[in-house]
Amino acid sequence: MQTILSVSELSKTYDSRFQALKRINLDIRRGEIFALLGPNGAGKTTLISIICGIVKASEGSVRVDGHDIVADYRAARAMIGLVPQELTTDAFESVWATVSFSRGLFGKPANPAHIEKVLRDLSLWEKKDNKIITLSGGMKRRLLIAKALSHEPEILFLDEPTAGVDVNLRRDMWQLVRSLQASGVTIILTTHYIDEAEEMADRIGVISKGELILVDDKAELMRKLGKKQMTLQLQTPLPLLPPALAAYQLELASDGNELIYTFDAQGERTGIVALLEDLNDAGIVFKDLHTTQSSLEDIFVSLMKEAK
Amino acid sequence: MNWHAMRAIYLFEMARTRRTLLQSVISPVISTSLYFVVFGAAIGSRIDEIEGISYGAFIVPGLIMLSLLTQSVANASFGIYFPKFTGTIYELLSAPVSYIEIAAAYVGAAASKSIILGLIILATAGLFVPLQVAHPVWMLLFLVLTAVTFSLFGFIIGIWADNFEKLQLVPLLIITPLTFLGGSFYSINMLPPVWQTITLFNPVVYLVSGFRWSFYDAADVGVGISLAMTLLFLAVFLAVVAWIFKTGYRLKS
Ligand SMILES: Nc1ncnc2c1ncn2[C@@H]1O[C@H](COP(=O)(O)OP(=O)(O)OP(=O)(O)O)[C@@H](O)[C@H]1O
Ligand SMILES: [Mg+2]
């Protein structure tokens, strides 16, 4: 697939001598939704800020559709829309004026029809003449998205787009992101909500302490790192585990009514057949069983533990 | 050139003026009128003519300069400081605009405002004293050059300042004293010789003198020197702005 954004050997050391990014290499594919996951202070915003021209890189380079972000900043930046993490807006401007301003700033001639469409898509049309200060937090977030979309960018950065947004609005936001993707926009978002990445992303990157520790297709990631669990509902509760089954590292749950077996879905052998035979030999009878797969959240938590 | 961006910034800044009309236009007009009442009418009636000009008329160019300098610096410094303060500067930094375009738009807007203001004050002065402009083209030239030069200065201050105090500091501690001591309200020929020499180190003297010459054909220093000094300040401030943009000073971490 075609690369639209290419980050190579990018490092950032702030004036405070703090190294926020360490030799990041990352290629974003045209048209994908890429989720950047990482704990607070990992360097997500720093990475986005460098790509967008707000922070200077210490080393390395970034190309946007072949345009270097320093040497050829006009072409590079014209392609990018940015929705920042912080809700930074002018208080006294009207919604319409501020969105139109953004379009002009990015070098596009006025186009009221496009601005209207963007505002309608974000349910801000009714508010178009309101002063920004009168908007709620969620509306301001959408306003920042409208500003970023005002100049028809090909790449959209969303730095924690759903922070402080209620559940319904979050679903609307996801919907919007999908429809943007359908219209050909490449989307890079950061989030703390892992279900959000799980729900939307095509690929996921995990960043921790300034290092990109993993980049993979979401499905691949879940397949590779996902653990499966099998839960057996017992006929009669078991007070404790028979020593004969120690090798399986089983857990007893629900006051001895459930046995939980965790196995690696990718392993050569899952051990299920052997377990069932051994259970039979031990005279343990179960009435039901089901398996579950670990969520991205579990994967993420275990990755973070490893990184520490 | 990203003309759309420059236009957007310029219009945005002008819209801010419209929203704060009271503060940006009416208050300087009122304070100018007060100067006329106090200096022109009350005190001025007891002062002889200076270089053949009535005192009330004599102070008109100085008063306009006073407003022009303070307002140019205030408008331009606030214009660029405020986005830094609120954080909306992210948009400016991420836009496909060059620093030259950013500076031109902000400085252009601030200068436009103070030029308009200068003309309003001139009209206000006309209500109090009979006006006479000997060299209208020169008058406009000095007006525009000074407005642009000191808007650039304000722009620099706005970038340098990282709190509101610093933003007020330079206008309060430098611009106002220099203007008051720069012959706005008197001819430097009225000072004792030592002070005349010291005063020549005050850059505002040249601005006021040249501007007053365009009105009354009488000046403390030659008009050529005034023009040269104004252009020198312009060049110095342009150089500083160029340096700021080259290094990203206080704009990018
Ligand atoms: N201007 C700055 N000067 C010095 N250090 C900074 C600056 N900006 C960010 N940092 C530091 O760089 C690190 C990465 O910050 P960054 O904002 O990129 O993290 P993040 O992954 O976006 O975190 P969060 O999830 O909280 O938004 C942090 O330790 C932060 O303190
Ligand atoms: Mg962040």
Side-chain angles (χ1 to χ4, degrees):
Chain A
M1 216 189 242
Q2 215 186 349
T3 299
I4 193 165
L5 174 70
S6 177
V7 176
S8 67
E9 295 294 308
L10 191 72
S11 297
K12 173 65 187 178
T13 307
Y14 281 109
D15 289 341
S16 59
R17 298 265 181 87
F18 181 83
Q19 189 171 13
L21 291 178
K22 298 169 190 158
R23 301 172 67 112
I24 302 283
N25 286 290
L26 175 65
D27 280 347
I28 301 293
R29 300 166 185 166
R30 189 181 291 276
E32 75 174 333
I33 298 180
F34 187 90
L36 202 53
L37 282 172
N40 285 127
K44 304 181 293 293
T45 301
T46 302
L47 177 59
I48 291 179
S49 299
I50 291 175
I51 297 171
C52 293
I54 298 163
V55 170
K56 285 188 289 190
S58 306
E59 272 162 75
S61 63
V62 179
R63 290 183 161 270
V64 181
D65 207 17
H67 307 289
D68 185 87
I69 57 160
V70 179
D72 201 3
Y73 68 95
R74 278 192 207 265
R77 291 184 195 169
M79 291 179 66
I80 296 178
L82 166 65
V83 182
Q85 181 173 359
E86 306 291 334
L87 287 175
T88 45
T89 51
D90 287 297
F92 304 107
E93 282 287 306
S94 76
V95 167
W96 178 269
T98 196
V99 177
S100 305
F101 169 78
S102 299
R103 186 177 169 87
L105 195 59
F106 277 76
K108 288 275 170 90
N111 183 348
H114 177 71
I115 307 279
E116 174 170 350
K117 180 180 179 303
V118 168
L119 289 179
R120 284 194 190 279
D121 286 350
L122 287 156
S123 327
L124 283 171
W125 181 245
E126 266 72 65
K127 299 278 176 187
K128 72 181 167 67
D129 296 319
N130 288 39
K131 286 214 166 76
I132 298 171
I133 198 169
T134 66
L135 301 184
S136 73
M139 290 174 191
K140 280 188 190 141
R141 176 78 56 193
R142 278 179 283 152
L143 177 65
L144 289 180
I145 298 177
K147 278 167 78 73
L149 293 177
S150 67
H151 62 94
E152 302 159 68
E154 286 180 50
I155 303 172
L156 182 67
F157 284 93
L158 295 161
D159 201 351
E160 296 190 26
T162 52
V165 164
D166 71 27
V167 180
N168 281 333
L169 211 56
R170 232 172 119 192
R171 299 216 173 276
D172 290 350
M173 201 83 86
W174 293 355
Q175 201 55 52
L176 176 82
V177 168
R178 280 203 199 87
S179 69
L180 282 171
Q181 182 187 31
S183 71
V185 179
T186 306
I187 291 149
I188 296 141
L189 57 90
T190 74
T191 178
H192 287 148
Y193 301 114
I194 293 159
D195 55 335
E196 194 158 277
E198 194 169 347
E199 171 83 25
M200 300 211 299
D202 299 313
R203 285 199 308 151
I204 289 173
V206 178
I207 189 167
S208 171
K209 295 182 185 150
E211 283 179 278
L212 197 57
I213 55 178
L214 175 143
V215 177
D216 216 335
D217 283 340
K218 180 184 64 185
E220 191 68 13
L221 186 67
M222 301 202 49
R223 203 169 60 82
K224 259 196 265 180
L225 295 168
K227 287 245 179 355
K228 279 197 167 179
Q229 282 190 329
M230 181 171 69
T231 307
L232 300 162
Q233 252 123 25
L234 303 180
Q235 195 81 52
T236 45
L238 210 59
L240 49 118
L241 286 168
L245 299 175
Y248 295 102
Q249 296 184 314
L250 300 173
E251 281 174 68
L252 264 179
S254 309
D255 296 328
N257 282 306
E258 281 179 8
L259 261 184
I260 299 173
Y261 173 53
T262 306
F263 59 97
D264 188 348
Q266 289 311 110
E268 283 285 289
R269 48 182 67 215
T270 57
I272 292 177
V273 178
L275 172 65
L276 293 183
E277 277 172 11
D278 287 350
L279 281 174
N280 199 20
D281 292 349
I284 298 171
V285 186
F286 58 90
K287 53 185 179 192
D288 197 7
L289 98 178
H290 64 268
T291 58
T292 53
Q293 190 157 15
S294 59
S295 68
L296 194 54
E297 179 140 17
D298 304 324
I299 298 173
F300 182 69
V301 169
S302 70
L303 263 176
M304 283 299 129
K305 276 199 193 122
E306 273 172 40
K308 279 211 176 111
Chain B
M1 287 293 258
N2 185 344
W3 292 106
H4 290 294
M6 289 171 70
R7 186 169 169 272
I9 296 171
Y10 184 88
L11 293 179
F12 176 89
E13 283 297 294
M14 295 312 267
R16 194 163 59 77
T17 313
R18 237 171 286 131
R19 277 199 304 272
T20 54
L21 203 63
L22 198 71
Q23 181 194 329
S24 20
V25 174
I26 298 179
S27 77
V29 167
I30 290 177
S31 62
T32 310
S33 305
L34 288 175
Y35 278 117
F36 274 113
V37 172
V38 175
F39 289 111
I43 299 174
S45 59
R46 291 158 192 266
I47 299 178
D48 290 340
E49 291 190 342
I50 301 175
E51 287 157 18
I53 309 150
S54 80
Y55 186 68
F58 180 83
I59 63 171
V60 171
L63 273 181
I64 296 175
M65 271 294 158
L66 181 66
S67 293
L68 206 60
L69 297 188
T70 49
Q71 289 298 313
S72 295
V73 170
N75 282 329
S77 62
F78 191 78
I80 189 69
Y81 175 76
F82 201 62
K84 285 203 314 176
F85 175 71
T86 60
T88 52
I89 192 140
Y90 84 86
E91 201 179 15
L92 218 49
L93 295 177
S94 67
V97 284
S98 71
Y99 285 137
I100 295 171
E101 289 158 358
I102 295 177
Y106 273 102
V107 169
S112 304
K113 277 183 236 175
S114 38
I115 290 167
I116 293 169
L117 190 75
L119 295 174
I120 291 175
I121 292 174
L122 185 63
T124 312
L127 302 176
F128 293 88
V129 291
L131 281 178
Q132 156 209 340
V133 183
H135 311 283
V137 176
W138 281 93
M139 195 273 282
L140 279 176
L141 181 73
F142 275 115
L143 193 71
V144 171
L145 268 181
T146 310
V148 169
T149 303
F150 282 79
S151 295
L152 262 175
F153 186 41
F155 187 80
I156 294 167
I157 293 168
I159 285 178
W160 163 76
D162 46 17
N163 57 43
F164 271 101
E165 248 152 51
K166 283 190 185 170
L167 200 64
Q168 310 283 355
L169 206 67
V170 173
L172 201 70
L173 256 48
I174 300 180
I175 302 291
T176 311
L178 286 185
T179 319
F180 272 90
L181 300 174
S184 297
F185 299 108
Y186 53 86
S187 164
I188 61 171
N189 296 325
M190 295 157 75
L191 297 171
V194 187
W195 281 102
Q196 287 193 24
T197 313
I198 293 174
T199 301
L200 290 179
F201 288 97
N202 179 352
V204 177
V205 166
Y206 302 94
L207 305 174
V208 173
S209 173
F211 197 47
R212 187 176 291 134
W213 171 84
S214 70
F215 278 75
Y216 305 122
D217 214 358
D220 291 335
V221 293
V223 64
I225 298 175
S226 286
L227 184 64
M229 289 302 268
T230 312
L231 292 174
L232 179 69
F233 297 140
L234 185 64
V236 168
F237 295 147
L238 277 174
V240 175
V241 168
W243 174 81
I244 285 175
F245 285 159
K246 217 175 140 210
T247 58
Y249 173 75
R250 298 238 163 138
L251 283 172
K252 285 191 187 185
S253 43

